[in-house]
Amino acid sequence: MHGIDDSRIFKPVRIAILTVTDSRTMETDTSGALLIERLETAGHSLAGRAIVADDIGAIQSQVTGWIDDPDVDVVISTGGTGLTGRDVTPEAVTPLMDKIIDGFSVIFHQVSYQTVGLATLQSRAIAGVAKGTFIFALPGSNGAIRDGWDKVIKHELDSRQVPCNLVELMPRLMEV
């Protein structure tokens, strides 16, 4: 059996949203706003929100701050995962990760293929864990947010999801 087990308790997580862009502002950041709407509707709390330029140093600085913040469980970024010269989000976040969640990229591309077809090849969506904080780097389109959140991340961040979910791993991420 897989899906939601209503006999389990829902445990909200604290999620920070980072938009990586050279062209959006808080007022025009529809992808970040969509993520916030989705996470709050799911019962989670917004732990922070920022917009930074497509710059490795700026991305790393913001993400590192959230990784070091005990009040942030998850960081989700939107933007900068493409193939152009300015797309550097994977290059910025990968060195911060202790472990990469290889299956996330595979599953993201499977669900994305259903909506955008072969164009999913242009995404370098990635996920991992850094100092006990989950990091998800999604493309910047609203469609990619719907694919990534609605079809993948939302389920793994629901403590009622069976047979397993990422929330139940959180207390054990820093084990030695």
Side-chain angles (χ1 to χ4, degrees):
M1 175 181 125
H2 65 87
I4 299 296
D5 180 348
D6 289 321
S7 69
R8 289 183 164 198
I9 296 171
F10 177 79
K11 298 175 186 172
V13 296
R14 300 161 298 188
I15 304 171
I17 302 298
L18 177 64
T19 300
V20 178
T21 181
D22 287 333
S23 60
R24 301 283 181 190
T25 65
M26 286 291 185
E27 293 77 32
T28 61
D29 175 24
T30 58
S31 295
L34 185 59
L35 270 169
I36 292 167
E37 181 269 322
R38 295 294 212 259
L39 74 88
E40 289 177 342
T41 297
H44 301 296
S45 62
L46 179 64
R49 181 182 185 188
I51 294 179
V52 299
D54 289 281
D55 174 81
I56 290 175
I59 297 165
Q60 286 181 334
S61 177
Q62 184 62 62
V63 173
T64 299
W66 282 332
I67 290 168
D68 292 338
D69 185 340
D71 292 326
V72 176
D73 302 310
V74 178
V75 174
I76 304 175
S77 70
T78 172
T81 63
L83 300 174
T84 71
R86 297 289 297 155
D87 291 322
V88 295
T89 301
E91 289 78 10
V93 299
T94 300
L96 305 176
M97 295 176 180
D98 303 315
K99 295 183 178 179
I100 294 181
I101 305 171
D102 296 313
F104 172 76
S105 182
V106 173
I107 297 300
F108 174 80
H109 286 293
Q110 286 179 345
V111 300
S112 179
Y113 180 79
Q114 300 303 312
T115 56
V116 299
L118 291 175
T120 190
L121 293 174
Q122 296 177 30
S123 165
R124 297 180 301 136
I126 189 170
V129 182
K131 296 182 182 176
T133 301
F134 286 109
I135 300 172
F136 297 91
L138 295 173
S141 73
N142 288 345
I145 298 306
R146 284 188 286 274
D147 287 345
W149 176 267
D150 295 354
K151 299 175 183 174
V152 185
I153 300 170
K154 173 179 80 171
H155 303 288
E156 280 300 301
L157 293 182
D158 191 324
S159 56
R160 302 166 300 167
Q161 183 72 26
V162 293
C164 56
N165 59 75
L166 296 177
V167 177
E168 64 193 5
L169 296 179
M170 287 179 176
R172 301 178 48 214
L173 291 175
M174 298 299 292
E175 287 177 345
V176 287

